[in-house]
Amino acid sequence: MGEKKSSMRKPVFAKVDQLSPGTNGHNLIVKVLSSKMVLQKGRPDGPRVHQMRIAECLVGDETGTILFTARNEQVETMKPETTVILRNAKIDMFKGSMRLAVDKWGRVEAAADPATFTVKEENNLSLIEYELVNVEG
């Protein structure tokens, strides 16, 4: 029982062009290029009304861009021109294309310093259409 507690591992940050379908656990530093509200509705949640909001945000780094689905309080952080740190992000597939998302196990936080890179806008990974095939083995 005298096992020594290991110290926290340093996060490994990936680049947008390294993302692939069906993967998760990604840490990224990205710039928000645009943000568009796609759903906003009130939901009765006990004594108070809970606002449900979803925004599609185009985010990217020096290797490419991808659509990020921001939910509820994440929408506030994902403002255009903001540099954002995404922790434990995952790739969701939507109509055959990749979307980046952060669920309750991850974090979306505004970076203290703006990123110095220029976003490579011509490489949008969300425009690539994938056909997922089940392989029997």
Side-chain angles (χ1 to χ4, degrees):
M1 296 288 172
E3 198 173 304
K4 193 173 166 184
K5 189 176 179 187
S6 65
S7 61
M8 293 279 286
R9 282 192 342 220
K10 283 269 191 209
V12 176
F13 287 93
K15 297 293 180 190
V16 169
D17 68 349
Q18 296 172 317
L19 302 174
S20 58
T23 57
N24 58 29
H26 302 293
N27 296 310
L28 298 131
I29 297 174
V30 293
K31 271 188 198 172
V32 180
L33 301 176
S34 65
S35 179
K36 182 178 86 176
M37 190 72 72
V38 291
L39 177 70
Q40 184 166 7
K41 66 180 181 182
R43 193 177 71 202
D45 194 23
R48 60 191 185 102
V49 175
H50 179 73
Q51 275 285 339
M52 190 170 116
R53 294 173 300 165
I54 296 177
E56 282 187 343
C57 310
L58 187 63
V59 301
D61 62 17
E62 67 271 26
T63 66
T65 60
I66 190 166
L67 280 172
F68 176 84
T69 305
R71 298 179 188 280
N72 302 324
E73 59 279 344
Q74 294 174 356
V75 173
E76 254 83 285
T77 309
M78 303 301 285
K79 300 279 187 245
E81 300 302 311
T82 307
T83 300
V84 179
I85 300 169
L86 305 175
R87 296 188 187 270
N88 202 23
K90 62 180 181 167
I91 298 294
D92 287 333
M93 297 303 291
F94 179 74
K95 294 183 180 173
S97 65
M98 292 195 301
R99 301 286 169 95
L100 195 58
V102 173
D103 61 15
K104 64 181 178 181
W105 305 111
R107 278 179 40 193
V108 175
E109 53 193 49
D113 301 315
T116 55
F117 56 76
T118 302
V119 176
K120 186 176 180 180
E121 294 186 51
E122 60 273 10
N123 184 22
N124 186 339
L125 297 184
S126 291
L127 295 179
I128 301 169
E129 195 168 316
Y130 290 87
E131 184 175 341
L132 298 178
V133 180
N134 291 328
V135 178
E136 305 226 358

